[in-house]
Amino acid sequence: MGLKIYNLSHTFHQFMPEWPSTPSVNLTVNKFHAKDGVYEINWEGIMHRGTHMDAPLHVTANTPDIMAYPLWRLCGSGVVVSIPKGKWGVITPEDLEKATPEIREGDVVMINTGFHHKWADTDEYFAYGCGINGAGAKWLVQKKVKMVGYGCQANDHPIATKLVDHGLGPSQPHLIEEYKKETGRDPKEDFPLWEDAHKNLMVGGGIPGIENVGGDLDEVTGKRCFFVALPWRWKGGEGCGVRILAIVDPEGTFRFETGQ
Ligand SMILES: N[C@@H](CC(=O)c1ccccc1NC=O)C(=O)O
């Protein structure tokens, strides 16, 4: 059929890095082949690790769960754009506006910031990582995109989270002084609202946001592709790991079955 299929998810494993929240994932091997004739793993943890999709319910009470995203949002044509960022880099409306290939109405959008190469249990990736601001998320909503994936630590900039003085925070208070020193501004001036981009994109726009996009992201950057990213059909779920596929049809000969 000539299709090329790329994986855009990081590897899921017990010792994978995790956003600085509830600690750890615990895997226990319940049954071993040599002892039991089968192999079975017991898994305990939260879903907000590795390549995963958030639901509006993660950040706002009485909003839709992960199961409520309509199927048409979870697959479709779109683009992988390169928006390279460094420490505390901000993905802005201007970045999105001038991205190439252009982001079209109705697109799935995957953003390559370069940070997927740094995915590790480090401050460099999480506390000093990059992220979109509230205005950037509003731009995506106004553009009526279908779904968004970020090749970085979260759906929000780290300075818009409880790592500093927002919500449950500050869990990493030293970042507040560091930010002031480095930028000459107060974190609250630049990021006045807690998880603002999550709220604009998912609660306001109903658009699924995926964190920690990785895998073969570089290989499809600058290309238009067909994407699929499927969370579990989990009633009440506030987020879920996803396997993201980017599919291209270099010969332009693929046709779906007609259903006849
Ligand atoms: N940024 C990650 C994790 C996250 O936001 C989070 C996970 C557990 C506990 C608190 C979290 N966020 C804010 O405090 C996410 O949105 O999935």
Side-chain angles (χ1 to χ4, degrees):
M1 71 182 163
L3 295 180
K4 288 189 79 174
I5 306 177
Y6 298 86
N7 159 59
L8 303 189
S9 294
H10 281 303
T11 306
F12 186 97
H13 62 102
Q14 174 150 20
F15 304 109
M16 70 200 290
E18 174 173 296
W19 197 83
S21 57
T22 311
S24 111
V25 51
N26 296 318
L27 302 184
T28 313
V29 181
N30 272 347
K31 292 197 168 33
F32 286 91
H33 282 297
K35 182 161 76 74
D36 306 301
V38 289
Y39 188 63
E40 183 193 271
I41 298 170
N42 189 69
W43 178 89
E44 180 187 281
I46 63 168
M47 281 288 188
H48 301 272
R49 59 168 45 87
T51 309
H52 70 277
M53 181 184 290
D54 285 346
L57 186 58
H58 179 43
V59 290
T60 304
N62 302 314
T63 59
D65 61 13
I66 196 79
M67 189 177 121
Y69 285 128
L71 290 179
W72 62 263
R73 282 202 179 275
L74 306 178
C75 56
S77 295
V79 69
V80 185
V81 293
S82 173
I83 304 182
K85 293 290 168 188
K87 178 184 177 186
W88 282 334
V90 185
I91 302 166
T92 64
E94 296 71 41
D95 291 327
L96 299 164
E97 190 67 53
K98 64 174 200 259
T100 55
E102 112 186 92
I103 299 169
R104 301 180 195 157
E105 194 171 310
D107 269 351
V108 172
V109 183
M110 296 288 159
I111 301 176
N112 183 339
T113 69
F115 262 93
H116 59 297
H117 294 293
K118 299 176 177 170
W119 188 60
D121 179 25
T122 58
D123 282 347
E124 183 189 26
Y125 184 75
F126 291 102
Y128 302 122
C130 69
I132 198 163
N133 62 11
K138 272 188 188 150
W139 188 96
L140 292 164
V141 172
Q142 275 157 14
K143 202 68 179 175
K144 299 190 172 65
V145 305
K146 261 190 182 180
M147 172 162 74
V148 185
Y150 304 97
C152 64
Q153 48 80 41
N155 283 307
D156 257 276
H157 190 279
I159 302 299
T161 73
K162 62 99 191 170
L163 298 184
V164 296
D165 189 16
H166 289 293
L168 300 166
S171 67
Q172 323 255 351
H174 62 94
L175 295 177
I176 298 172
E177 278 314 306
E178 285 175 29
Y179 189 84
K180 282 185 192 161
K181 216 177 214 171
E182 187 142 333
T183 65
R185 292 183 303 278
D186 191 273
K188 280 273 172 77
E189 277 176 60
D190 291 347
F191 298 95
L193 301 171
W194 187 26
E195 305 272 4
D196 191 29
H198 276 76
K199 288 172 186 165
N200 288 338
L201 190 80
M202 283 170 274
V203 183
I207 300 167
I210 305 172
E211 306 186 342
N212 305 304
V213 175
D216 300 327
L217 189 59
D218 292 342
E219 288 185 53
V220 286
T221 296
K223 293 186 198 295
R224 291 195 60 79
C225 307
F226 187 87
F227 299 92
V228 182
L230 302 176
W232 291 348
R233 193 171 183 224
W234 179 17
K235 195 171 169 57
E238 91 293 2
C240 190
V242 287
R243 186 73 182 267
I244 311 174
L245 304 182
I247 306 170
V248 294
D249 176 20
E251 287 143 33
T253 53
F254 179 80
R255 291 285 181 277
F256 281 107
E257 298 292 344
T258 59
Q260 298 302 304

